[in-house]
Structures are given as C-alpha cells and as structure tokens.
Amino acid sequence: MKGGKSIRRYYDIVKEIIEADKSSKFEKLCHSLPQGSKQENKIRNILVLRELGVPQRLLFSLLISNHHVCCGKEKFEESLKKVVGMGFDPTTPKFVEALCIVYGLSEKRLEEHFNVYKRFGLTVSDIWQLFKKCPAFLGYSENRIFQTFDTLKKCGLCEDEVLLVVKKNPLCLRASEQQILNSLETFIGLGFSRDEYVMMVKCFPQCIGYSAEMVKKKTEFVVKKMNWPLKDMTLFPQKKTLAPKLKFLQSRGASSSELTEIVSKVPKILGMKGGKSIRRYYDIVKEIIEADKSSKFEKLCHSLPQGSKQENKIRNILVLRELGVPQRLLFSLLISNHHVCCGKEKFEESLKKVVGMGFDPTTPKFVEALCIVYGLSEKRLEEHFNVYKRFGLTVSDIWQLFKKCPAFLGYSENRIFQTFDTLKKCGLCEDEVLLVFKKNPLCLRASEQQILNSLETFIGLGFSRDEYVMMVKCFPQCIGYSAEMVKKKTEFVVKKMNWPLKDMTLFPQVLGYSMEKRIVPRCNVVKALMSKGSLGSELPPMASVLACTDQAFLNRYVVKHDDKQLPVQYKEDTYKTNKPRGKGEKLSGNLPIYTHTQRQAYL
C-alpha cells in the first residue's frame, strides 16, 4: 500500500479484527465504528461474507483493496444475492472475483457486454456459462474483446474457430495483441508452421499465454532429448506441461526408446498425479511389456504378493487378454482407478454375465459393460430396473438398451428423471421421450442445461419448438451437438445451397454427416452441375444428394454427366484421395469419386 496514512489505518483495522476474532466480539467491532461510514460498511459486509464461509485470507484482501465492493449496502446485498444464486462456492477465490465483477457492472454496461458477445454468435446461456467458468470474462472492455478476436483472425483462425477458443479458455481474452503475435512468432521460430500454430491454439488455447522461454525449454526437451517428432507436439500441445513427468520417468533408468514405447501404448500414464503413482504403474507396464515379449506373462502374476491388488489386477488382465481384449484396453484398465480388476469372485461373476450377454471382447463396449455390471449390486440393479419400468420399459427393453449402450444402466435415478422432465419441458410427451430413449440411450448423458441450450440454438436458427421436437424424435443425437457445429452445417445447407430450412426439419440426419467428407464435396458437384444447367432449374432435394449411398450418388450425379462439367480442382482432389478399385472392392475416400475409366482419362 502507498502512503503511511493508508498503511496505518488498515493496519489498525486488521489488528482490531484479529483481536475481535480471538475474543468472539466481531459484531461489536462493527457497531463501534461511525454509522454509515465506509469502514462500518466494510466490516459489516465482510462479516456477512465470513458467515457464508469466505476464507479469512480473501476477506483481508477485500478489506485492504481499493475495490468498493464492500463499501456499499444495497448494491452489495443485491450483487451478493446474484452471485450466490449462480451457485459459486464461497470458499473459492472465484466467488470473490464474481462478486467484484457483478458489483462493478451496471445493468446498462452488462447489456452492452452481452450485445458485444452476441455479435460473435454467443447466446445468453453461453455467456453466463463462460462467466461461471471465468468471472473475468464479463470484465473485459469492448475494445479488448474486438482486439483479441481480430488478432486471432490475423493469426489464421476463422471466426468460428476464435469462438471455439474463447469457449474453451475465456482467459485468452486477457492476452494483448502483442502477446498473441509474440506467441505466434515464438512457435514459428521453433519450426512450426502457421497452420500448425492454429491447430495447437484450437486444441489447447492456454499455449497463447505461455512465455517464449518456457515454450522453447519444453519443446527442446521433448524434441531433442526425447526424439519425438515436432509434429507430435502439434497433435498433442498439452505435452508442454508434461516435461517434469517425462523427466521423472527418465530418471527411473528408462531409455528414450523404452519411454516412447510405454507412453505411446499407455498415454494415460502421463495424466496420473503424484510421483509415487506414476512410478508404480510405469514399473508394472514395463514388466508387462517385457513379459509379453518373452511369453512370460503368467509368471509375472505369480511373482507378485499373493492376494495383493496388483496380483489380482495382473491375473484378471491375463483372463481378459486370453478372451481377446486388445492390449490398449487392458492398459487403460490397469492404470484406472476403477476396481473392476482388483477383485476375484466378483470379477469372475461379472465377467460371466457380460460374456453371456454376447458382448464382443475386442470392443471398448465389452470393457464398459464389464465396469457397469461390476459396479452394480443386485439391489442397485433392481432399483434401476424399477425406475425404467415406471416409464413403461420392460425387462427385455432394458437389457436390449444395455447391449446397445452399457452406460444406460450407469445413470443415477435423478439424472433419468431430470432428462425425462427436461425433454417434456421442450414439448415431447412421455411416449415420445420413451421413443427417443429407445433410439438413442446416450441422450441420458445430456444435462438439463445442455438440452435447454440445444433448444435455444435451434430456435435461434429459425426453427419452431414443434420443429425441434420433430427433429429430436427423428434424430435424437442432435441434442448433444454443439451450437457451433449445428450453426455451421445449417448455414451451409440453407445459405450456401439454398435448401429450405424446412428440409432440415424433415431430414435432421444431415447434422450427423461430415462437412469435409460428405456435405461439402457432394454439394460442390451439385453446384457445378447446376451452373451448367445439367440438373435443370430446380435444386435436387437435400436427402437425394446427402442421404444416398456412395454408389447411388456416383451413379446419379457423376457417371451419367459429362465429367468436364466438374471443377478441375475437385477432379484433382478426388483422384488423389481415391485409388482405382478391384472387382467387388468397396468405394473409399472422400466422395464423390470417379470410375477407374474416368480416372485414367485424367492421367
């Protein structure tokens, strides 16, 4: 603090609070100060925060700060009510940060902030979600927001990508224009291309704020000392935060090749916390790999202390291995916190049930089903069945849905009722909700907020509530799609292709197709043929273009038309990604594709 007077005044207050706190006379201290004074308000408001559970260290920070959040009365109470109502935890610094932001924003200024973010495509729900994640999100000025968006676009990100980055890490708005440009310069100086930098920022926005020294140090370690290709860091930028763990594992005496083999087979090992855990599992994985090479896997089991968790794990993993469960799934079980492989009798009983249901041991679904069955007692299983029976499902229905999606029996009773109620709020009747569950049990994974956000997204794009209900009944997967993806595909087929919005209501499956592999290539062909007048004046129906099989599209829009009408670039791309087929061989690669004869014509 500056100035002897300020230091003295706050020192005296802090001293009084500590003394009052010791003698439980905290409230008396408030009344001893002049009524209506800033100090009296501060003490009273801090007492309120203290009773809510705000830690002493945060209270003292507020007491000596220049922020007026604790100086008012009515405004303080109003702001506190809002922050508590949003569900912030009073024991965390985020609670105090949110309180300061809300206190400092007038209704007018808050509306201005919302309007700025809305211009970039964020919904009201998105903005509040990001505020909960990072309260400072609503404290940035309009100039800072526009500056960050523009700078990231200069670096090579499109507007949708910038929006995705901000949603992943709202703190990136804190970075100045110079910081972002310096970050780009640092990565390019290390040998990354601009496109690779964009890919890394989209995957791991935090890298924008890292210092040049730290980025260089960690990049040089994993590339020069570990001999991992630079491209690996592009695909996995989080590796910059793992250098200490890699160094620790290297200190265990592992060569670069051994470490590379183990980390590539069990990447989850780098996500484990604590040196002791990493060391223990690294040693076990190393032993298994060595035993596997020399066909001494069984001996490894007997070398461990009998009845220990590790002995049980190795024995049970050996059983799963003999059933045909792939190594990558076995290693995941080995280092997971799930106890499915730690038992003996219960493991054998659960495994027998899952095998008896006909699950394929070579698939992840087999392991998922084993974990669910192992974790459910007979009593809990009966409770789950009773919940589903109340909605009209039979025992046979429940087991069929479990085979389709094992997680179906892992959801809590509250989650099941919440999802049913939320879908009914959206406009579906009980029978329709049941139909949606039967089509896609994974919709139970969606939270109440996700479902309401989904409805808001579709309504914001011009669909009515009834149309949204129709789409969910027809294609329940659309509930879980992100707002960005739904907007991107809807805008493409409606604005760029001129298909009516109603076509998407009748054919919502279009949202499940890949933009790069199906929607854009097929639409490019149709647009090229339309421009030449080969398809007449009317655009073909959306389903006719996008829903047909690869072979049907090829016959309908490529083979029967003169290939010279198609874009040259399109032909080149198609030839590169599609090799000539043998008799009976399936079509592969990006579509549409050409016949072998047509390809030969381009050579």
Side-chain angles (χ1 to χ4, degrees):
M1 296 186 76
K2 292 180 182 179
K5 192 177 177 181
S6 297
I7 294 171
R8 186 172 63 250
R9 185 174 71 247
Y10 281 107
Y11 171 77
D12 291 341
I13 292 171
V14 170
K15 188 178 176 184
E16 282 188 70
I17 289 173
I18 291 171
E19 291 302 317
D21 202 31
K22 285 178 184 175
S23 58
S24 303
K25 293 175 182 175
F26 202 89
E27 289 187 41
K28 287 182 182 178
L29 176 61
C30 181
H31 299 303
S32 68
L33 292 162
Q35 280 200 338
S37 67
K38 280 187 179 179
Q39 299 306 336
E40 193 246 2
N41 284 343
K42 267 200 173 185
I43 298 295
R44 185 192 60 248
N45 293 342
I46 281 172
L47 177 58
V48 171
L49 293 174
R50 185 172 179 267
E51 286 172 352
L52 272 174
V54 179
Q56 198 80 293
R57 61 190 169 80
L58 297 176
L59 293 178
F60 281 136
S61 300
L62 275 175
L63 188 68
I64 65 168
S65 74
N66 293 321
H67 204 290
H68 300 293
V69 69
C70 285
C71 297
K73 190 176 180 183
E74 290 80 9
K75 195 173 181 184
F76 170 81
E77 289 169 358
E78 186 186 328
S79 304
L80 184 62
K81 192 176 178 182
K82 281 184 183 176
V83 173
V84 170
M86 286 178 204
F88 283 96
D89 180 1
T91 63
T92 63
K94 201 179 277 188
F95 177 89
V96 175
E97 188 184 0
L99 181 61
C100 292
I101 295 290
V102 170
Y103 185 92
L105 286 173
S106 64
E107 287 297 325
K108 186 182 176 184
R109 200 166 160 214
L110 191 63
E111 190 180 348
E112 287 169 359
H113 276 62
F114 268 67
N115 289 336
V116 171
Y117 285 121
K118 280 179 183 177
R119 284 164 65 181
F120 290 111
L122 288 172
T123 63
V124 173
S125 175
D126 289 334
I127 297 167
W128 283 123
Q129 281 298 316
L130 288 170
F131 174 70
K132 285 183 182 180
K133 190 176 180 181
C134 168
F137 180 70
L138 278 179
Y140 301 119
S141 67
E142 186 175 339
N143 287 341
R144 168 53 61 88
I145 298 164
F146 276 103
Q147 183 191 78
T148 307
F149 265 78
D150 290 342
T151 309
L152 287 172
K153 282 199 261 184
K154 280 180 194 173
C155 291
L157 285 83
C158 68
E159 195 158 297
D160 285 344
E161 289 171 335
V162 175
L163 205 59
L164 178 70
V165 165
V166 171
K167 282 189 173 183
K168 272 193 173 183
N169 182 34
L171 281 173
C172 67
L173 286 170
R174 184 182 288 171
S176 65
E177 180 180 13
Q178 195 56 52
Q179 278 178 304
I180 297 170
L181 295 176
N182 287 349
S183 170
L184 172 63
E185 189 181 333
T186 299
F187 280 89
I188 287 175
L190 287 166
F192 297 97
S193 68
R194 187 178 283 260
D195 287 343
E196 286 173 332
Y197 176 73
V198 168
M199 193 190 301
M200 293 167 86
V201 169
K202 280 158 58 181
C203 177
F204 189 63
Q206 290 90 324
C207 66
I208 292 171
Y210 290 156
S211 67
E213 292 75 23
M214 193 267 279
V215 172
K216 285 175 187 174
K217 186 179 177 183
K218 293 186 177 177
T219 302
E220 284 172 5
F221 178 84
V222 297
V223 174
K224 292 182 180 177
K225 297 228 173 147
M226 292 303 301
N227 293 320
W228 272 313
L230 194 67
K231 191 178 180 182
D232 279 12
M233 291 193 68
T234 310
L235 301 172
F236 185 42
Q238 295 91 329
K239 198 176 285 183
K240 294 178 181 55
T241 64
L242 300 175
K245 291 181 181 179
L246 293 169
K247 217 167 190 175
F248 172 77
L249 290 173
Q250 205 173 32
S251 71
R252 299 287 300 159
S255 64
S256 294
S257 59
E258 285 176 334
L259 193 52
T260 301
E261 183 181 17
I262 288 168
V263 171
S264 63
K265 286 185 176 180
V266 200
K268 283 186 180 180
I269 203 166
L270 293 175
M272 301 188 77
K273 292 180 181 178
K276 192 176 177 183
S277 297
I278 295 171
R279 184 173 65 246
R280 185 173 70 247
Y281 283 106
Y282 172 77
D283 291 344
I284 291 171
V285 171
K286 187 179 175 183
E287 281 189 69
I288 289 173
I289 289 174
E290 291 304 315
D292 201 32
K293 285 176 183 174
S294 57
S295 303
K296 294 175 182 175
F297 202 89
E298 289 186 42
K299 287 182 183 178
L300 176 62
C301 178
H302 300 302
S303 68
L304 292 162
Q306 281 201 336
S308 67
K309 280 187 179 181
Q310 298 307 336
E311 193 244 1
N312 284 342
K313 269 199 173 186
I314 299 293
R315 184 192 61 250
N316 294 342
I317 281 173
L318 178 58
V319 171
L320 294 174
R321 186 173 181 265
E322 287 171 351
L323 273 173
V325 179
Q327 197 78 294
R328 61 190 169 82
L329 298 177
L330 294 178
F331 280 137
S332 298
L333 276 174
L334 186 69
I335 66 164
S336 74
N337 292 323
H338 205 290
H339 300 293
V340 68
C341 285
C342 296
K344 190 175 180 183
E345 291 79 10
K346 194 172 181 185
F347 169 82
E348 290 168 357
E349 187 185 328
S350 304
L351 184 62
K352 192 176 178 182
K353 281 184 184 177
V354 173
V355 169
M357 287 177 203
F359 282 96
D360 180 0
T362 63
T363 64
K365 201 179 277 188
F366 178 90
V367 175
E368 189 184 359
L370 180 62
C371 292
I372 295 290
V373 170
Y374 186 92
L376 286 173
S377 64
E378 287 298 324
K379 185 183 175 184
R380 201 168 160 212
L381 190 64
E382 190 181 347
E383 287 169 358
H384 276 62
F385 268 68
N386 289 336
V387 172
Y388 285 120
K389 282 178 184 177
R390 284 165 64 181
F391 290 111
L393 288 173
T394 63
V395 173
S396 174
D397 289 334
I398 297 167
W399 283 122
Q400 282 300 315
L401 288 169
F402 175 71
K403 285 184 183 179
K404 191 176 179 180
C405 167
F408 180 69
L409 277 179
Y411 299 116
S412 68
E413 187 175 339
N414 287 342
R415 169 52 64 87
I416 298 163
F417 277 103
Q418 184 190 76
T419 309
F420 262 82
D421 291 342
T422 309
L423 286 172
K424 283 199 258 183
K425 281 180 195 172
C426 291
L428 285 83
C429 67
E430 196 158 298
D431 286 343
E432 289 170 335
V433 175
L434 206 58
L435 177 69
V436 166
F437 278 177
K438 285 186 176 182
K439 276 193 172 184
N440 182 34
L442 279 175
C443 65
L444 277 170
R445 187 179 288 171
S447 66
E448 180 179 12
Q449 195 58 54
Q450 280 178 306
I451 298 169
L452 296 176
N453 286 349
S454 170
L455 172 62
E456 188 181 335
T457 298
F458 280 89
I459 287 175
L461 288 167
F463 296 96
S464 68
R465 187 179 281 261
D466 287 342
E467 286 172 330
Y468 176 72
V469 168
M470 192 188 301
M471 294 170 85
V472 169
K473 282 159 55 182
C474 179
F475 189 64
Q477 290 90 324
C478 67
I479 292 172
Y481 290 155
S482 68
E484 291 80 22
M485 194 266 277
V486 172
K487 286 175 188 173
K488 188 178 178 182
K489 291 182 180 177
T490 303
E491 284 172 3
F492 182 85
V493 298
V494 174
K495 292 182 181 176
K496 298 225 172 149
M497 288 304 296
N498 294 318
W499 273 309
L501 195 65
K502 192 178 179 181
D503 280 14
M504 286 195 70
T505 309
L506 302 172
F507 181 53
Q509 290 88 341
V510 66
L511 293 169
Y513 296 147
S514 164
M515 281 286 285
E516 294 76 21
K517 293 182 179 178
R518 181 178 286 220
I519 298 174
V520 173
R522 291 193 181 192
C523 288
N524 283 344
V525 171
V526 170
K527 280 197 285 186
L529 293 173
M530 289 282 291
S531 67
K532 300 289 182 181
S534 300
L535 296 179
S537 57
E538 286 190 18
L539 186 67
M542 187 191 296
S544 166
V545 174
L546 300 174
C548 60
T549 63
D550 300 346
Q551 187 63 58
F553 182 87
L554 183 68
N555 294 335
R556 195 178 297 163
Y557 296 105
V558 178
V559 176
K560 67 189 283 189
H561 294 285
D562 179 6
D563 53 34
K564 290 179 183 177
Q565 294 175 21
L566 298 174
V568 174
Q569 184 59 47
Y570 171 76
K571 294 176 194 174
E572 290 172 357
D573 291 343
T574 302
Y575 180 74
K576 285 175 190 173
T577 55
N578 294 278
K579 295 178 182 177
R581 294 177 293 132
K583 190 175 180 182
E585 193 179 335
K586 289 186 179 180
L587 296 168
S588 61
N590 289 344
L591 289 171
I593 70 170
Y594 292 94
T595 61
H596 179 56
T597 307
Q598 287 174 308
R599 288 196 191 111
Q600 292 303 316
Y602 301 136
L603 291 174

